[in-house]
Amino acid sequence: MTEIDLSADLFGQSLQSPLLNASGVHCQTKEELNDLANTSNLGAMVTKSATLQAREGNPNPRYHDLANGSINSMGLPNLGYDFYLDYVLEDQQKPTILSVAALSAADAITLLKKLQASDYQGPTELNLSCPNIVGEPQLAYDFEATDQVLSEVFSFYTKPLGVKLPPYFDLVHFDQIAKVLNKYPLTHVNTINSVGNGLWVDVEKEQVVTKAKGGFGGLGGAMVLPTALANVRALRQRLNPSIKVLGTGGVTTGADVFAHILCGADLVSVGTQVMKEGLGVYDRLAAELKEIMAAKGYQTLDDFRGQLKEL
Ligand code: SIN
């Protein structure tokens, strides 16, 4: 039988597999990052989104497994920008995307100015979409503010930079965000962050399941797969070909990875399913993906990437 090749590309670095962790899952501490570096079939890794200062995040409980996914209100707990910068500069053992999150537009500029002045030359992702910060909006839902931030960032920033986006639900919004993003030399978009401000009700206890924000939190896992696929597809159809699409959301099987790539994803991230199943999930997903590709007669990811058929 012909060998199935899952190799992929991260902005010029070749990867053994198209699979990533979703930022936030098993990537906060040095131990967790080292675990990811040692995980087979994980092609590249993403750090927990770093803020300028370390953050405790929201009070517990802040993550809850649901039958068809999860709800979280983590609130960006992280060890701070300096820790993650040191990690990618000193300890990196596998291709890594440094994720950074700003609590305000001004923060984003400060963070990226520091990064521009640093020795780090690798890929960075600016998280414009965390739904769980009390009192702060998801910046990428404000198209004008996103345009302003990116315009200022790219007036000084010259290293590889992409953005993490929230899910969009209206075709007009896909047009509007793509118009903004296409103005800038972005390496990639990562779509989607969790579906913000869902609410789960524990009927027996008659109460919410996470503490912050009255129980409102980001949804992930199987229930968001159709939304994630729609965002990958819609953005791939609208963005400049030079802007890669990292598909995140709803992956529980190799078929889901296949579907993301068929919609146009260059790489595919897994979040909730890592929480549920552990890091062994990547071996299973890679094996299932290879099985599907073999059955269909595909040898490489390029054989079907973006080839979704319409009726
Ligand atoms: C969180 O820390 O609240 C989740 C991260 C994110 O949604 O960006």
Side-chain angles (χ1 to χ4, degrees):
M1 203 179 74
T2 333
E3 187 65 17
I4 304 290
D5 175 9
L6 292 190
S7 66
D9 175 86
L10 178 77
F11 326 129
Q13 294 183 80
S14 70
L15 309 181
Q16 281 180 328
S17 136
L19 299 173
L20 310 178
N21 62 299
S23 173
V25 177
H26 209 100
C27 57
Q28 188 174 329
T29 63
K30 191 178 241 185
E31 291 70 31
E32 289 177 339
L33 290 161
N34 287 340
D35 288 345
L36 290 179
N38 292 317
T39 296
S40 53
N41 285 300
L42 181 76
M45 44 197 269
V46 188
T47 67
K48 175 67 186 170
S49 296
T51 48
L52 271 174
Q53 309 300 334
R55 287 172 57 86
E56 289 286 332
N58 291 340
N60 286 313
R62 56 191 188 180
Y63 175 90
H64 189 87
D65 260 327
L66 300 172
N68 58 350
S70 65
I71 183 167
N72 88 82
S73 183
M74 300 301 291
L76 289 176
N78 76 90
L79 302 179
Y81 165 87
D82 290 335
F83 169 83
Y84 298 99
L85 182 65
D86 277 357
Y87 183 85
V88 288
L89 284 175
E90 309 289 341
D91 295 316
Q92 191 181 148
Q93 302 159 49
K94 183 177 265 200
T96 302
I97 298 175
L98 173 65
S99 174
V100 295
L103 300 182
S104 66
D107 260 16
I109 304 303
T110 310
L111 258 168
L112 289 169
K113 281 199 166 146
K114 280 169 80 92
L115 206 50
Q116 176 67 27
S118 76
D119 290 337
Y120 181 63
Q121 305 296 336
T124 297
E125 185 171 285
L126 177 61
N127 182 351
L128 298 174
S129 52
C130 180
N132 301 326
I133 305 301
V134 178
E136 296 294 341
Q138 287 166 272
L139 193 71
Y141 280 139
D142 182 336
F143 302 116
E144 212 177 299
T146 300
D147 197 4
Q148 271 169 18
V149 169
L150 292 179
S151 167
E152 192 165 347
V153 164
F154 282 108
S155 69
F156 63 84
Y157 198 76
T158 57
K159 301 177 183 181
L161 184 69
V163 286
K164 177 85 176 263
L165 298 174
Y168 298 99
F169 300 94
D170 191 299
L171 294 184
V172 170
H173 292 162
F174 288 124
D175 292 340
Q176 289 173 330
I177 191 68
K179 194 169 167 201
V180 170
L181 300 175
N182 279 335
K183 290 164 67 174
Y184 302 102
L186 290 162
T187 50
H188 72 281
V189 299
N190 190 333
T191 179
I192 57 174
N193 205 320
S194 58
V195 175
N197 297 303
L199 188 68
W200 187 253
V201 173
D202 179 330
V203 169
E204 199 185 317
K205 293 184 181 156
E206 302 179 18
Q207 71 181 15
V208 300
V209 295
T210 54
K211 190 165 173 67
K213 292 180 69 181
F216 288 79
L219 306 177
M223 71 174 106
V224 311
L225 180 65
T227 300
L229 294 177
N231 277 260
V232 169
R233 172 79 164 162
L235 290 168
R236 183 62 290 159
Q237 288 173 320
R238 287 164 176 78
L239 291 173
N240 297 335
S242 57
I243 303 179
K244 303 295 176 205
V245 175
L246 276 46
T248 303
V251 170
T252 63
T253 66
D256 301 335
V257 179
F258 185 90
H260 265 271
I261 296 170
L262 201 62
C263 287
D266 291 282
L267 301 172
V268 179
S269 327
V270 188
T272 294
Q273 198 58 26
V274 175
M275 295 292 287
K276 287 178 186 276
E277 193 177 330
L279 295 173
V281 68
Y282 293 102
D283 288 341
R284 177 176 66 78
L285 294 174
E288 290 174 2
L289 177 60
K290 280 185 178 174
E291 210 171 295
I292 292 167
M293 288 171 63
K296 289 173 176 284
Y298 295 133
Q299 265 176 266
T300 72
L301 304 177
D302 285 341
D303 292 345
F304 62 95
R305 182 178 283 112
Q307 301 299 318
L308 182 66
K309 296 178 202 136
E310 293 189 8
L311 297 177

